């Protein structure tokens, strides 16, 4: 039998939105981060050099600042398969010549992928180990199934497009994946959602989450009309009515080169003929726009649940491993148990495109190289960079004039070391209970788009005015967007109608009606909350803080929002300090070092 020990695989998501790197050692995830955290540009697309450097340092055992050599890597897994479906691509391009000009831009992107070995060698030296291309949706499947606790499960990935595919169904068994079906370009549920998101005046890449928040304010009065755009099929699949979309007839401009990703307008004028005038960015949001958002969500859910039900009927399985950008649709995820026969679902923390770097590495480890699974389950999201107290003190010295990073009162800022974890939890809980907004910066950063208690801004969920305070003074974002609760896992069923754990804040559950008045800051207008369940095992310090808040208030949850202000989540202590100082937060806990604002006498 082959020796499978010390197999180091570097996984990459490159030249695509949410570029990232992940390190897998002997089948276990050891480090992963999105490039945006270093570049400070949301959804950064390109070659993730700094993310690779971090993963190599972790893989080589030295941590940040350690050796970033490529020589110890067994293989590199790349979540792209440029040669996939070449015949299908050629036929479509020839039959739709108006799209050829925009196809040239994608060809440049593919050339970048083809020259990836040279780029890695230039950045990290050589020789570069073998590169294994993994089809985009296979990487998605692997990222869900091989991180799950399931020995056997149906697998589903749904997104815009990746390697000419938008949807894949499969069955995972042990260390193997059997693909059942694919939905190819030009049909895509993800693209349908994005097109209507643009129609509603949200053109930014990744703005779909805004429409999910807006949907709670509307009624699905346009669902019948929107349903015509993506007709259902008897087998549970779907197809787009291409009269309403440009991506096949004309092509859509896309930019994925070392910066913010950009996506051209997807819908045609036919959509305005069907739905009325599109909203322009910045225009007032009317009830019609809210009803359109609710209708979009309703139609998406119908098609999504039809896929899940058909897959369950075909396989006879009740466990689901879910991935792809559409797996971030927390509204739909929270209804899976009611609308399908699914009994268990696993969605890893970076279910979108960033997670394909991890999926590609796990696919190569288990499927290509034949290594059996070893019991690894992703039960937490803390796989990113960590900064020690020396680095924290250095950042404070630069940010707080005269302090040299020492404890004391420096102008309006008090610096204090609180090394006792119970005291830190109790004092932070007390501050939140009296209305302070607290920056909570602890340990390793989160893998994926959610702040889950290590790079978070925390507040009191009992205060009805806290949404307005956070939106206007801290986050500076649209008022309709909700804030999320982090709840003690063992208390979930007492406050929500479902008790199924969700450590990655990726499902929306109804809050129990009698509890909603107690936590108005985290209860959305429709009575739901996008919760994170916090276990003592996965994040003991965050659990202690929430437990201390419960002892103080009787409420076993805090309001949790990402530690940022219209930027990627903060990465370094310096970025946390900058956000704290410019947004007028009341308190900041950087590990054991606490900064607080002192009121003028």
């Amino acid at each position: 039998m082959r020796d499978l020990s010390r197999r180091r695989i570097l996984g990459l998501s490159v030249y695509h939105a949410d570029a990232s790197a992940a390190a897998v050692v002997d089948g276990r995830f050891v480090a992963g981060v999105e490039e945006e955290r270093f570049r400070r540009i949301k959804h950064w697309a390109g070659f993730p050099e700094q993310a690779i450097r971090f993963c190599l340092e972790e893989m080589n055992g030295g941590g940040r600042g350690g050796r970033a050599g490529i020589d110890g890597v067994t293989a590199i897994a790349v979540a792209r398969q440029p040669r996939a479906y070449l015949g299908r691509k050629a036929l479509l391009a020839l039959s739709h010549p108006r799209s050829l000009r925009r196809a040239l831009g994608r060809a440049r992107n593919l050339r970048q992928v083809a020259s990836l070995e040279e780029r890695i060698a230039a950045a990290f030296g050589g020789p570069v180990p073998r590169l294994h291309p993994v089809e985009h949706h296979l990487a998605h499947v692997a990222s869900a199934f091989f991180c799950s606790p399931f020995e056997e499960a149906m697998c589903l990935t749904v997104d815009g497009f990746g390697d000419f595919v938008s949807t894949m169904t499969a069955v995972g068994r042990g260390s193997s994946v059997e693909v059942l079906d694919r939905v190819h370009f030009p049909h895509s549920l993800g693209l349908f959602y994005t097109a209507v998101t643009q129609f509603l005046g949200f053109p930014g890449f990744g703005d779909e989450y805004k429409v999910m928040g807006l949907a709670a304010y509307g009624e699905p009065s346009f669902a019948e009309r929107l349903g015509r755009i993506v007709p259902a099929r008897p087998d549970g699949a779907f197809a787009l009515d291409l009269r309403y979309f440009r991506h096949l007839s004309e092509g859509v401009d896309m930019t994925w080169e070392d910066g913010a990703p950009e996506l051209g307008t997807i819908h045609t004028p036919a959509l305005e003929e069907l739905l009325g005038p599109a909203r322009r960015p910045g225009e007032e949001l009317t009830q019609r726009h809210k009803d359109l958002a609710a209708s979009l969500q309703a139609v998406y859910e119908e098609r999504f649940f039809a896929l899940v039900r058909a897959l369950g009927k075909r396989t006879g399985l009740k466990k689901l491993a879910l991935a792809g950008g559409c797996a971030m649709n927390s509204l739909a995820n929270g209804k899976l148990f009611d609308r399908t026969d699914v009994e268990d679902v696993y969605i890893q923390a970076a279910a979108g495109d960033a997670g394909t770097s991890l999926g590609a590495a796990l696919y190569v480890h288990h499927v290509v190289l034949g290594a059996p699974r070893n019991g690894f389950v992703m039960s937490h999201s803390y796989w990113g960079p960590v900064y020690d107290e020396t680095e924290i003190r250095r950042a404070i010295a630069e940010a707080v004039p005269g302090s040299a990073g020492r404890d004391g009162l420096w102008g309006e800022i008090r610096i204090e070391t609180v090394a006792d974890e119970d005291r830190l939890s109790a004092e932070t809980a007390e501050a939140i209970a009296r209305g302070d907004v607290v920056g909570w910066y602890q340990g390793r950063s989160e893998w994926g788009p959610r702040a889950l208690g290590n790079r978070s801004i925390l507040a009191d969920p009992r205060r009805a005015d806290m949404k307005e305070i956070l939106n206007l003074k801290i986050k500076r974002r649209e008022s309709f967007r909700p804030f999320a609760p982090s709840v003690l896992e063992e208390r979930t069923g007492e406050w929500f109608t479902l008790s199924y754990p969700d450590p990655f804040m990726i499902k929306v559950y109804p809050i129990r009606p009698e509890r909603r008045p107690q936590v108005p800051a985290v209860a959305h207008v429709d009575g739901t909350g996008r919760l994170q369940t916090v276990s003592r095992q996965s994040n003991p310090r965050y659990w202690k803080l929430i437990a201390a808040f419960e002892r103080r208030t009787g409420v076993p949850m805090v309001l949790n929002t990402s530690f940022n202000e219209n930027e990627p989540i903060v990465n370094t202590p310096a970025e946390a300090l900058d956000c704290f100082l410019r947004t007028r937060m009341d308190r900041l806990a950087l590990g054991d070092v606490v900064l607080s604002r002192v009121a003028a006498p």
Side-chain angles (χ1 to χ4, degrees):
M1 188 173 179
R2 287 174 299 163
D3 180 11
L4 302 176
S5 65
R6 311 315 302 164
R7 181 167 281 162
R8 296 176 172 87
I9 300 177
L10 176 68
L12 304 179
S13 173
V14 295
Y15 305 120
H16 198 281
D18 297 314
S20 67
V24 169
V25 178
D26 299 337
R28 295 182 179 276
F29 187 29
V30 299
V33 67
E34 298 91 327
E35 187 74 4
E36 69 163 32
R37 301 297 177 91
F38 302 101
R39 306 281 184 162
R40 313 308 301 156
I41 297 173
K42 280 189 174 183
H43 303 294
W44 193 89
F47 178 68
E49 182 171 342
Q50 295 186 57
I52 293 171
R53 187 173 305 280
F54 162 72
C55 286
L56 290 175
E57 291 168 350
E58 291 293 320
M59 206 174 342
N60 290 327
R64 282 188 325 96
R67 190 173 64 85
I70 202 77
D71 53 298
V73 176
T74 306
I76 297 177
V78 185
R80 295 290 298 275
Q81 178 56 277
R83 296 186 177 277
Y85 317 111
L86 283 177
R88 186 183 289 263
K89 293 173 183 176
L91 284 173
L92 278 177
L94 291 173
S95 61
H96 294 82
R98 291 179 65 189
S99 68
L100 280 174
R101 179 180 64 82
R102 291 183 170 91
L104 293 176
R106 290 190 288 278
R108 287 194 297 272
N109 181 262
L110 295 179
R111 285 197 297 272
Q112 289 179 312
V113 176
S115 62
L116 183 58
E117 185 174 348
E118 298 173 14
R119 185 78 182 264
I120 294 171
F124 300 101
V128 176
R130 182 178 176 184
L131 270 63
H132 296 268
V134 178
E135 186 183 339
H136 180 86
H137 280 270
L138 277 174
H140 271 313
V141 166
S143 78
F145 180 65
F146 292 135
C147 289
S148 80
F150 307 146
E151 178 62 25
E152 181 179 42
M154 53 182 172
C155 305
L156 174 64
T157 82
V158 184
D159 65 9
F161 288 111
D163 287 332
F164 223 59
V165 170
S166 73
T167 302
M168 178 181 286
T169 58
V171 172
R173 294 186 183 92
S175 56
S176 69
V177 171
E178 176 192 358
V179 176
L180 301 179
D181 276 316
R182 295 172 173 89
V183 176
H184 291 276
F185 183 96
H187 304 291
S188 167
L189 271 184
L191 200 74
F192 160 69
Y193 208 105
T194 299
V196 183
T197 295
Q198 291 180 343
F199 183 88
L200 285 168
F202 300 104
F205 188 91
D207 276 354
E208 290 85 354
Y209 70 97
K210 296 181 181 180
V211 176
M212 282 183 254
L214 187 63
Y217 293 85
E219 297 294 331
S221 54
F222 291 89
E224 188 277 330
R225 273 182 270 180
L226 277 173
R228 300 179 209 167
I229 298 174
V230 55
R233 288 173 28 184
D235 61 355
F238 61 89
L240 297 181
D241 185 334
L242 295 169
R243 293 175 297 171
Y244 298 99
F245 301 89
R246 300 179 186 273
H247 61 291
L248 178 61
S249 60
E250 303 174 32
V252 175
D253 287 320
M254 293 180 285
T255 302
W256 312 104
E257 298 178 3
D258 289 346
E262 296 179 6
L263 187 63
T265 301
I266 296 169
H267 60 83
T268 67
L271 194 57
E272 292 196 80
E273 296 172 14
L274 179 70
L275 301 175
R279 175 179 174 264
R280 309 305 171 199
E283 284 184 359
E284 180 185 359
L285 282 164
T286 67
Q287 190 58 47
R288 171 175 164 269
H289 301 131
K290 297 169 186 177
D291 291 346
L292 280 166
S295 302
L296 169 62
Q297 181 65 28
V299 172
Y300 167 78
E301 288 178 3
E302 287 180 5
R303 303 297 181 264
F304 170 68
F305 293 137
L307 283 170
V308 175
R309 286 191 291 266
L311 182 57
K313 184 177 180 180
R314 180 172 179 177
T315 63
L317 299 173
K318 304 290 187 181
K319 293 177 168 55
L320 173 66
L322 181 64
C326 292
M328 302 304 296
N329 192 308
S330 51
L331 295 174
N333 296 341
K335 299 174 184 176
L336 271 166
F337 301 122
D338 288 337
R339 299 282 295 275
T340 74
D341 292 331
V342 168
E343 295 177 356
D344 284 298
V345 61
Y346 182 84
I347 311 167
Q348 62 111 344
D353 286 337
T356 60
S357 60
L358 172 60
L362 290 170
Y363 185 87
V364 168
H365 181 77
H366 292 302
V367 180
V368 177
L369 301 180
R373 293 171 74 180
N374 58 9
F376 169 73
V377 176
M378 187 196 294
S379 58
H380 67 80
S381 66
Y382 313 111
W383 306 99
V386 63
Y387 296 83
D388 63 20
E389 185 171 340
T390 299
E391 294 165 302
I392 287 170
R393 295 284 183 183
R394 185 183 303 120
I396 293 172
E398 294 177 0
V400 182
S403 71
R406 297 169 296 174
D407 286 8
L409 181 61
W410 311 97
E412 68 165 358
I413 303 297
R414 183 185 302 279
I415 303 171
E416 182 181 10
T417 302
V418 184
D420 181 85
E421 191 170 71
D422 290 337
R423 179 187 160 203
L424 177 67
S425 298
E427 291 182 357
T428 305
E430 178 66 32
I432 294 171
R434 66 171 176 258
D436 284 1
V437 176
V438 175
W440 186 250
Y441 181 100
Q442 305 291 329
R444 295 183 70 162
S445 66
E446 295 90 343
W447 164 250
R450 307 282 194 240
L452 298 171
N454 278 12
R455 301 290 184 274
S456 293
I457 295 174
L458 308 178
D460 190 344
R462 303 170 303 156
R463 291 189 54 162
D465 61 346
M466 191 53 71
K467 289 182 184 178
E468 183 179 3
I469 291 171
L470 289 169
N471 272 327
L472 291 178
K473 296 184 178 181
I474 307 292
K475 302 294 283 188
R476 296 183 175 94
R477 65 183 199 176
E478 297 90 349
S479 61
F480 62 82
R481 288 165 56 188
F483 289 99
S486 291
V487 59
L488 297 179
E489 182 179 274
E490 58 270 33
R491 299 283 190 270
T492 304
E494 300 170 19
W495 289 77
F496 295 85
T497 59
L498 286 83
S499 58
Y500 195 89
D502 184 4
F504 303 138
M505 199 186 285
I506 214 161
K507 302 184 194 74
V508 168
Y509 292 166
I511 301 172
R512 291 188 175 276
E514 70 275 14
R515 296 292 196 181
R516 293 170 193 171
Q518 295 176 259
V519 286
V522 295
H524 204 12
V525 67
D526 60 356
T528 62
R530 191 188 71 198
L531 75 163
Q532 172 201 4
T533 56
V534 181
S535 76
R536 189 169 197 163
Q537 181 178 7
S538 65
N539 194 332
R541 177 167 285 202
Y542 193 36
W543 185 94
K544 282 186 177 181
L545 166 59
I546 301 172
F549 187 79
E550 182 187 28
R551 289 193 297 272
R552 169 67 173 75
T553 66
V555 175
M557 69 181 74
V558 294
L559 182 156
N560 171 17
T561 188
S562 55
F563 200 150
N564 61 354
E565 180 209 2
N566 293 312
E567 61 181 334
I569 297 171
V570 298
N571 181 31
T572 66
E575 290 158 5
L577 280 158
D578 180 61
C579 189
F580 166 71
L581 293 170
R582 74 172 183 266
T583 60
R584 304 292 298 178
M585 264 181 263
D586 300 293
R587 190 178 183 92
L588 171 61
L590 289 166
D592 295 338
V593 185
V594 178
L595 289 81
S596 54
R597 284 193 164 87
V598 178

